[in-house]
Amino acid sequence: MNRLLEYLAEIREIQGLKNAILCGITLTKKDESAEFFLVTDRTYTTMDEARAREISERYLPQGMSVKIKISKRVPDAETIRARILEYIRKSFPAAGAFLEESAIEVEMLTSGANFYVEIASGEQTLFSSGKILDETSRYLSSIFCGTFFGNVRVVEKANFDASLLDEEIEETEEFIPTEIREFPICEYEKIDGVDAPLKNAVYIADCLNMEGTYSVCGNVNYIEEIKYVKHNEATNTDVEKTRFSIALSDGSATLRTTYFPKKATLEKVREIKIGDKIVITGSNEEFRGTMSFKAAKLNYGRPPEGFEPVARKGKPVPKAYHTVFPEPYVDYTQAGLFEDTTKPADLKKHVIVCFDIETTGLNNNPAMGKMDKIIELGAVKLVNGEITEKFSSLIACPERLSKEIVALTGIKDEDLVGKPEVDKVLADFYKFTDGAILVGHNVGFDYRFVQYYGEQCGYMFDKKQYDTLALAQEVLRGKLANYKLNTVADYYGFEFNHHRAFEDAAVTAKVFIELVKAKGGLD
């Protein structure tokens, strides 16, 4: 028996907490205290509370003080019915496709409930062999006090009314991509370019669709001078060279590139600092199997005053989730619990979604050939600086996975059988990210996949982004051997199952919070 189950077994020996569940533990560094939040469906006494405090204290390190918070919570039939519908639609999409809330009946018990799902004749096997009801019962027991038991009731269903799908049809109408967007460059000042000022910059979110030479313009989020040695074949000598690693954002996306300065411009480029506005001119090229931006010239310049990216026209945000249903986020890990839990004020001003994907390969640009597929998408939402919701789904793939991808992710072909198609998942993800800023580790790589496949079904992902890779390079410069996600997570003491989308997204959120705290703010 693990420590959590052992703890709950002792707690449930208390009369008023016989069916209690543990909803969370809040640790406070300042007074070295831990507050256990228990939920019960019974009336409890002060003696019950005192006994719970004694038990909880034994599970803490010596010297820590314990606090107990107990809440009596008895769900009603309507709440349970809604949770059943959400869970079945998310976990068993084939069975939940045409399941309506009206087909679920809930019979309340003293502690817990029985529930019945009305199904058409011939669907019994689907519900019984798939263990849908057993899994749903276990899920209800994990979020509510008491015991839950499910069964089916076979009914003759009336003919399906096609008008019920009107909203769905409207949300999947054909989409025509829009043109590449541009904005004027202001206050141009030459560093390494022509005397005539550059007129327009391409939105960074659109730039990988460009051919030939073009310019991007925005705010320097990160810049680092790097020394390297290049061998001169003619003289057979090693020559020290300089390059600059730069992350640039215009509000539509973030671009990462490398700039090689000329001798005449080196000192001017060294004066550029984070927060400056610059223009980089270059072109797209293939690098290590993916398309990347090759910088050729660098100058000063900025977007127009008060510039806000113009959103591309696409479908509206879906009115409801249809396939992937967000769930409350619960974290039972103890890593970093004694760190400072305060959040910067500006982190609380925004809704933030940290996300990650797993794919069949590295090609995220159709100009490079056949696009690789998304096979998993995971995300968490931060509200008021706290992780509140999770979004996670495997995605059907019509192609066999390579041995390398199976070894890297642990995802197998059979895991994707019966999973929702990418357009269904991205429609729900579009709703999940409505009004949010997106965060990822090397965010541009994953975001390009989401943008491309989103566009195919009419959902235009035009979100402001923050990159934890660039933030780590800025905040942790000189402290790490590299800035990979697992390296940064190790630095902060976060353990996770790397190369699975939800696990990567969750630890990215934790890392993001720590990096923003270390930086002192979000902007």
Side-chain angles (χ1 to χ4, degrees), residues 37 41 45 146 187 292 301 332 362 391:
F37 179 30
D41 60 353
T45 66
E187 298 180 11
S292 63
Y332 293 111
L362 300 177
F391 181 102

Side-chain angles (χ1 to χ4, degrees), residues 317-522:
V317 177
K319 297 178 182 178
Y321 293 103
H322 294 286
T323 304
V324 184
F325 297 88
E327 296 180 352
Y329 176 83
V330 180
D331 185 7
Y332 293 111
T333 61
Q334 300 300 302
L337 289 173
F338 293 97
E339 299 299 321
D340 182 10
T341 58
T342 58
K343 306 294 190 304
D346 56 354
L347 188 62
K348 300 179 181 181
K349 296 176 183 177
H350 306 281
V351 175
I352 296 164
V353 170
C354 299
F355 78 105
D356 186 80
I357 62 173
E358 301 300 334
T359 63
T360 58
L362 300 177
N363 185 23
N364 64 359
N365 192 294
M368 293 290 296
K370 186 178 180 181
M371 282 280 294
D372 281 302
K373 302 291 193 295
I374 305 174
I375 57 175
E376 187 178 31
L377 192 155
V380 295
K381 182 176 290 185
L382 279 71
V383 178
N384 198 32
E386 301 291 341
I387 307 176
T388 59
E389 285 185 289
K390 62 179 286 188
F391 181 102
S392 180
S393 180
L394 290 167
I395 298 173
C397 181
E399 305 165 3
R400 291 186 65 85
L401 302 180
S402 68
K403 293 180 180 179
E404 292 77 14
I405 293 299
V406 173
L408 182 69
T409 65
I411 300 172
K412 302 175 182 177
D413 290 306
E414 53 266 33
D415 297 329
L416 305 181
V417 175
K419 298 305 178 184
E421 301 291 334
V422 66
D423 58 334
K424 301 296 184 185
V425 175
L426 287 180
D428 287 336
F429 187 58
Y430 192 68
K431 179 173 177 59
F432 187 72
T433 60
D434 183 32
I437 294 171
L438 291 188
V439 173
H441 200 75
N442 193 17
V443 67
F445 176 80
D446 290 355
Y447 190 61
R448 179 62 186 167
F449 277 101
V450 170
Q451 274 194 314
Y452 174 81
Y453 284 108
E455 288 174 6
Q456 303 312 299
C457 51
Y459 294 109
M460 312 304 288
F461 284 86
D462 275 329
K463 305 288 184 183
K464 185 175 182 179
Q465 303 150 57
Y466 284 93
D467 191 346
T468 51
L469 175 58
L471 276 172
Q473 289 174 324
E474 177 188 348
V475 173
L476 303 177
R477 181 182 297 182
K479 297 181 180 180
L480 303 177
N482 59 64
Y483 300 96
K484 297 178 180 178
L485 180 59
N486 57 321
T487 304
V488 181
D490 286 344
Y491 176 82
Y492 285 115
F494 298 128
E495 297 180 0
F496 69 114
N497 179 20
H498 197 17
H499 296 303
R500 289 306 300 266
F502 171 69
E503 291 276 352
D504 283 3
V507 82
T508 297
K510 296 176 184 179
V511 163
F512 177 67
I513 292 171
E514 295 303 319
L515 290 171
V516 173
K517 285 162 58 177
K519 187 177 178 180
L522 186 61

Side-chain angles (χ1 to χ4, degrees), residues 250-270:
D250 64 0
S252 74
T254 299
L255 178 143
R256 302 175 56 79
T257 190
T258 299
Y259 173 73
F260 297 87
K262 301 177 179 65
K263 287 184 179 180
T265 61
L266 177 58
E267 293 305 320
K268 289 185 178 180
V269 176
R270 280 175 172 161

